[in-house]
Amino acid sequence: MRQFGLIGYPVSHSLSPWIHHEFSKRADIQATYKLYELAPEEFNEKISALKRKLDGFNLTLPYKEKIIPFLDDLDETAKESGAVNTVVKEGKRWLGYNTDGIGFVRSLSEAYPQLLEEESPKLLILGAGGAARGIFQALRMKGFSQIDLANRTIEHAQSLAQQFSVNTRVYSLEEIEARLTSYDLIIQTSSVGMAPRTGESIIQLAKLKKSTIVSDIVYQPLMTDFLKQAKAAGAHIHLGHTMLLYQALYAFEKWTKTYPSVEEIGQTLKQKLKGS
Ligand code: ATR
């Protein structure tokens, strides 16, 4: 029996055990996936024991950076984002990856393949934290070259833009509301709108063109206020649960070298989240 898990604080509401159980069933792999809630003061002491016990693991807040000194190497995604969400054991070596950004891009390209065929679509990322960094990096790697940023704190967006791109423009949240019609894809990467503060939206989406795809990485609730506004404006929407699913799939694929199909799991996950 192979043993995987999620390390974080808190982790009790995580859907990852259910998702990985579904992957294991479909891939016909004998595996467990458990939650390990480590308080910050016990992290250093307990992580070594968990490394002895587990065959691979995921990390969530607040440990995506703190794990790095305990690993032997990082791949490009983890190096550039400075954060690790997936740890893979290869022989005696522990390798850190970040599958959040590529998970997002895969979920987007499954839902909207036409976006990848467009000449040079204009993209906007709202927010400039860890999630924005991972998504920005993955979009650049996929070949998107026109990516602008808008954030509450301009300096955070400026430093992200400097890290990744030559022609990124940076806006305040107030400025961007009047410029939304320029974009083919808008991605909301902050936690604004997440339960229990469901009535909030990072910006107002009154001025939107109908062909724009609007994405929110928040998946609790599935239909955020931000996405409701996008729908009301006639735009296309992209739900956050698919990023959760695909970042988990990349981890599972790296651990087991098997490739389960996810379509049905995505549908069930959506129903589960709708009911929550
Ligand atoms: P994560 O690493 O999970 O992405 P984070 O580093 O806390 O989380 O980043 C959160 C992002 O959401 C930041 O861009 C933050 O804006 P600031 O850079 O100004 O802090 C943004 N954010 C969080 N709460 C917000 C709010 N109430 N209104 C607007 N932006 C908010």
Side-chain angles (χ1 to χ4, degrees), residues 61 127-132 151-153 156 173 189-192 200 202:
L61 298 178
N151 194 42
R152 179 177 62 182
T153 310
H156 294 166
L173 296 177
T189 69
S190 80
S191 56
V192 179
E200 296 176 14
I202 190 162

Side-chain angles (χ1 to χ4, degrees), residues 74-83 96-99 102 137 141:
L74 303 180
D75 90 324
E76 277 311 302
T77 60
K79 266 187 205 150
E80 276 196 31
S81 64
Y97 296 83
N98 194 324
T99 67
I102 51 171
Q137 175 200 25
M141 279 169 60

Side-chain angles (χ1 to χ4, degrees), residues 192-201 220-221 223-226 228:
V192 179
M194 190 189 287
R197 299 170 67 177
T198 52
E200 296 176 14
S201 176
Q220 274 167 328
M223 199 62 188
T224 56
D225 185 71
F226 182 77
K228 281 183 191 160

Side-chain angles (χ1 to χ4, degrees), residues 24-43:
S24 300
K25 273 197 304 197
R26 281 170 178 76
D28 204 14
I29 295 243
Q30 297 289 311
T32 62
Y33 187 103
K34 292 192 178 145
L35 299 176
Y36 297 93
E37 191 159 281
L38 303 191
E41 62 278 7
E42 57 180 6
F43 182 82

